[in-house]
Amino acid sequence: MSGRAQLMWDEAVTGYDFGPDHPMDPVRLALTWKLVGAFGLDREAHVVAAKPAGESTLRLVHREDYIEAVKAASADPGSANGSSYGLGTLDDPAFAGMHEVSALIAGQSVGAAEAVWHGDALHAVNFAGGLHHAMPGSASGFCVYNDAALAIARLLELGAERVAYVDVDVHHGDGVQAAFWEDPRVLTISLHEHPRTLFPQTGWPGETGAESAEGSAVNVALPAGTADAGWLRAFHAVVPELIADFRPQVLVTQHGADTHFEDPLAHLAVSLDAQRAVQVACHDLAHEYADGRWVALGGGGYAVVEVVPRSWTHLVAIAAGRPVEPETVIPESWRQEVFARTRELAPLRMTDGRWPVSWAEWEAGYDPADRLDQAILDTRRAVFPLRGLLA
């Protein structure tokens, strides 16, 4: 197996554009690519532009009538208004070429999965992916095709028997959970802001999978305001033990950057430094339990200058085996690029000044009156016994 990382990139993915007033500004992808290049990481990883996902691949997750509806809206955006497919809404306005660019993003994630499964790369990253809300028959939450679910479905098609999916976006990974709700071959774990206070209002601890796959869906619903120490405590109190038990053949992770304290659409208070720490933890879990096979995806993130490019550049660097130290000064060339594109001042360093991050290990004890510990307990009590583990 090649030890080299594969970075999926095609400039055309920046055409995934819902319009000038939409929070998912494709400049976040362009600026991430430029920052990756400013650090020379595009020379450390093998950069590949995969083909768009074809219809047979899209049908691994999505219904044929939905794919046809996306195609129709792509050709004539006005026809989507009032459709029953989640298209033409404020969250998912139709735009010309929507099918083509959505299939292209999906193709990058499927290509990443294929590269890792076939041994062409040990790690593969598609930071344009992670569109985890799309359902089999509808668009949702800025997501048209669910590239994360498609990557997992392709791994199963290729013969994988155990795939673990860890989603640390601030929003529940509802579309991926739905796609594999009845499939015990896929373990989905989502850490997200509590559904009482954030879209999509799902991801309760009691959502544990269908009767045929009990314990295969795991949800950690975090209180609004959770910051670095709590977020990392929750991750380490739930994820490693489940991954150790499941022993996946491939680890697929989604790294939405919208947990950040500057993100305008959510209410967690996580720093870039904690996001980097979880990226490192996912890398290490892949090596410990999945022979290093790791597919890493982007996701949400709407602080498009201050947060997203730095977070995902850290992700690419970790996957490429050349981590960027948090205190590293950002190249001036990139800062000039940011100002030219956005008229915003770019950050100076690859840190929020909170490195090294720390947290209290769950094994040292917990406080049943603490809201965060209650959330962790709710998840462990709901899922761990179903998997034969102590809650």
Side-chain angles (χ1 to χ4, degrees):
M1 178 180 291
S2 170
R4 196 175 187 192
Q6 191 156 294
L7 175 57
M8 315 304 296
W9 178 252
D10 185 321
E11 191 78 32
V13 299
T14 60
Y16 192 82
D17 188 352
F18 291 114
D21 299 322
H22 197 280
M24 188 177 262
D25 187 337
V27 76
R28 69 198 194 122
L29 302 179
L31 290 177
T32 301
W33 172 248
K34 291 291 186 181
L35 188 55
V36 164
F39 280 112
L41 297 169
D42 54 340
R43 297 187 297 274
E44 298 291 330
H46 181 45
V47 178
V48 174
K51 294 179 180 179
E55 284 197 43
S56 62
T57 298
L58 293 173
R59 286 198 299 268
L60 292 174
V61 168
H62 293 291
R63 295 198 322 244
E64 188 170 358
D65 61 314
Y66 173 60
I67 298 168
E68 291 304 314
V70 175
K71 284 183 171 181
S74 185
D76 178 11
S79 68
N81 295 332
S83 82
S84 58
Y85 293 101
L87 301 168
T89 63
L90 288 175
D91 274 4
D92 296 277
F95 60 91
M98 179 173 63
H99 164 75
E100 289 76 12
V101 70
S102 299
L104 180 63
I105 291 172
Q108 306 315 302
S109 292
V110 170
E114 291 173 342
V116 167
W117 183 255
H118 291 311
D120 298 327
L122 195 58
H123 309 143
V125 181
N126 177 26
F127 59 77
L131 304 178
H132 60 169
H133 294 307
M135 292 292 175
S138 65
S140 177
F142 313 163
C143 306
V144 177
Y145 292 140
N146 196 320
D147 64 284
L150 288 163
I152 295 168
R154 179 63 175 140
L155 287 167
L156 298 177
E157 187 179 50
L158 290 171
E161 297 176 346
R162 295 181 311 283
V163 180
Y165 172 74
V166 177
D167 187 319
V168 296
D169 193 289
V170 78
H171 302 91
H172 176 225
D174 56 338
V176 183
Q177 176 179 286
F180 303 106
W181 184 250
E182 300 177 349
D183 195 334
R185 295 175 298 173
V186 181
L187 174 67
T188 64
I189 307 174
S190 179
L191 283 81
H192 48 266
E193 184 178 329
H194 201 287
R196 284 197 193 95
T197 54
L198 195 66
F199 174 89
Q201 283 78 52
T202 58
W204 298 79
E207 297 171 29
T208 58
E211 187 175 346
S212 59
E214 282 190 330
S216 67
V218 183
N219 290 288
V220 187
L222 300 167
T226 298
D228 289 2
W231 193 62
L232 292 166
R233 175 172 170 81
F235 179 94
H236 288 280
V238 173
V239 178
E241 193 169 348
L242 289 170
I243 297 295
D245 170 68
F246 188 66
R247 295 197 169 267
Q249 293 161 293
V250 184
L251 179 63
V252 180
T253 58
Q254 196 268 22
H255 297 271
D258 44 9
T259 51
H260 196 272
F261 56 77
E262 290 195 8
D263 196 273
L265 299 190
H267 317 98
L268 296 191
V270 174
S271 73
L272 182 76
D273 300 298
Q275 291 177 348
R276 182 185 184 277
V278 160
Q279 294 165 3
V280 170
C282 289
H283 168 270
D284 293 349
L285 287 170
H287 279 274
E288 190 166 357
Y289 299 111
D291 293 325
R293 296 188 189 94
W294 182 33
V295 176
L297 309 173
Y302 310 99
V304 299
V305 169
E306 183 68 26
V307 178
V308 174
R310 291 190 298 161
S311 186
W312 292 347
T313 296
H314 275 305
L315 180 65
V316 171
I318 291 161
R322 213 192 89 185
V324 175
E325 292 302 316
E327 287 294 337
T328 302
V329 173
I330 291 174
E332 180 61 24
S333 60
W334 185 78
R335 301 184 71 248
Q336 291 176 1
E337 177 86 19
V338 167
F339 189 77
R341 285 178 177 257
T342 69
R343 290 299 184 262
E344 293 185 35
L345 296 177
L348 293 171
R349 296 179 183 272
M350 292 293 286
T351 179
D352 283 331
R354 299 188 181 181
W355 190 265
V357 291
S358 61
W359 68 94
E361 294 283 359
W362 184 254
E363 290 74 14
Y366 58 85
D367 179 0
D370 179 81
R371 290 175 65 219
L372 177 79
D373 283 3
Q374 288 171 0
I376 296 169
L377 277 170
D378 286 346
T379 298
R380 291 179 64 98
R381 287 170 175 167
V383 175
F384 278 44
L386 298 175
R387 303 204 65 87
L389 302 172
L390 293 175

